[in-house]
Amino acid sequence: MLAAILLAIPAVGAMELHDAVTANDLVQIDALVASGSPINAVNGENMTALSLAASKGYAKATQALLKGGAAIGTDLHWAAMRGHVEVLEVLLGAGAEVDGPQPEGEGLAARTPLHSAVIGNQAAAIALLVNAGASVDVPLYIAYNSRREDDLEP
């Protein structure tokens, strides 16, 4: 029980990095990464600093976090759903999988970033993902029909 409680407590320095990303403070992001702040820690909403940067459309913060060793997870989905094309380009350039599925339990099972772009009604993101090689052999109508206002919340 104690171990579960301790694992739920954010690592020291983790929330400072999230705060710096929220403020889009590149100087502070660089300083925290350089000082060893836990770059892949999650906040209370289960988002890493990279996911937060991607969801807000902060391309330079995304680059700084990737340069600092941030692991790519669902970040492509966040950027796709919100139509942050520059962030999509950064993530794809860093090796993000164009058809990387979203983990189970986070909405539509096995949703790809293209699904996320369709749900978000993001034409530019859809075009970028298709041009980057996203599979169009998926039932996109399911994603389109599943759009809800809460899908667009962080």
Side-chain angles (χ1 to χ4, degrees), residues 11-41 49 52 61 64-65 67-70:
V12 174
M15 295 308 97
E16 288 85 357
L17 184 57
H18 285 77
D19 292 344
V21 169
T22 298
N24 200 21
D25 185 339
L26 298 175
V27 172
Q28 185 68 8
I29 291 168
D30 287 340
L32 288 166
V33 169
S35 71
S37 184
I39 199 162
N40 293 313
L52 191 58
L65 292 165
K67 182 180 175 188

Side-chain angles (χ1 to χ4, degrees), residues 41-104:
V42 296
N43 65 8
E45 296 173 349
N46 204 32
M47 291 181 76
T48 65
L50 184 59
S51 294
L52 191 58
S55 73
K56 293 186 173 294
Y58 298 156
K60 289 182 180 179
T62 298
Q63 287 173 326
L65 292 165
L66 289 168
K67 182 180 175 188
I72 297 173
T74 59
D75 321 298
L76 207 60
H77 290 269
W78 284 109
M81 185 176 290
R82 301 245 167 84
H84 300 310
V85 174
E86 190 176 355
V87 173
L88 288 171
E89 291 170 339
V90 169
L91 291 167
L92 290 169
E97 293 181 45
V98 72
D99 284 328
Q102 186 158 335
E104 296 291 331

